[in-house]
């Protein structure tokens, strides 16, 4: 915990500084939700095709899902998502003429969550 999943459009491979982003992301999350940096786990998933509304070129997407142990207030989650969104915007550039869509969601892990 936290479990972080970053879905991103394949065309952003060369314009998304994933290493720099993660290096800044983990301390930001740890401070915001009062956890240890060592607890943060991030997975990047490259999406080969995305479609946004009726965009002829498909546009580009980065969506981040942050799953946390229950107990954080809606205000803390909102602060977290706003902060992560601002951080993300500094680590990714649009690819070519495509419009870039960025989004972040923080949610509680299900009660069934277990780890070793």
């Amino acid at each position: 915990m936290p479990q972080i999943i970053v879905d991103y459009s394949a065309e952003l491979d060369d314009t998304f500084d994933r290493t720099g982003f993660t290096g800044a992301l983990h301390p930001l999350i740890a401070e915001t939700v009062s956890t240890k940096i060592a607890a943060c786990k991030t997975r990047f998933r490259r999406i080969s095709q995305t479609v946004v509304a009726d965009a002829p070129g498909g546009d580009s997407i980065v969506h981040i899902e942050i799953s946390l142990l229950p107990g954080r207030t809606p205000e803390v989650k909102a602060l977290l998502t706003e902060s992560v969104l601002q951080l993300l915007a500094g680590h990714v550039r649009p690819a070519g003429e495509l419009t870039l869509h960025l989004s972040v969601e923080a949610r509680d892990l299900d009660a069934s969550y277990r780890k070793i």
Side-chain angles (χ1 to χ4, degrees):
M1 193 291 303
Q3 296 288 333
I4 305 140
I5 299 172
V6 181
D7 291 320
Y8 71 96
S9 299
E11 56 271 356
L12 297 174
D13 274 338
D14 295 330
T15 63
F16 185 6
D17 176 14
R18 295 179 296 282
T19 302
F21 174 68
T22 307
L25 176 67
H26 291 174
L28 172 69
I29 291 174
E31 181 178 331
T32 305
V33 303
S34 300
T35 193
K36 295 178 182 177
I37 293 172
C40 296
K41 299 164 190 76
T42 299
R43 297 184 304 273
F44 288 91
R45 297 189 301 200
R46 182 180 188 266
I47 308 302
S48 62
Q49 182 177 3
T50 56
V51 177
V52 177
D54 61 352
D59 287 349
S60 297
I61 297 171
V62 179
H63 176 72
I64 301 173
E65 181 181 309
I66 305 167
S67 298
L68 306 163
L69 289 173
R72 276 59 179 212
T73 65
E75 293 80 14
V76 167
K77 290 178 190 172
L79 174 63
L80 177 62
T81 56
E82 283 295 328
S83 299
V84 171
L85 195 57
Q86 289 177 12
L87 179 67
L88 176 61
H91 285 85
V92 65
R93 297 184 326 273
E97 299 294 317
L98 301 178
T99 300
L100 182 58
H101 300 269
L102 307 177
S103 58
V104 180
E105 177 184 11
R107 62 174 61 195
D108 290 342
L109 287 161
D110 188 79
S112 66
Y113 175 77
R114 300 291 184 272
K115 68 177 186 170
I116 294 178

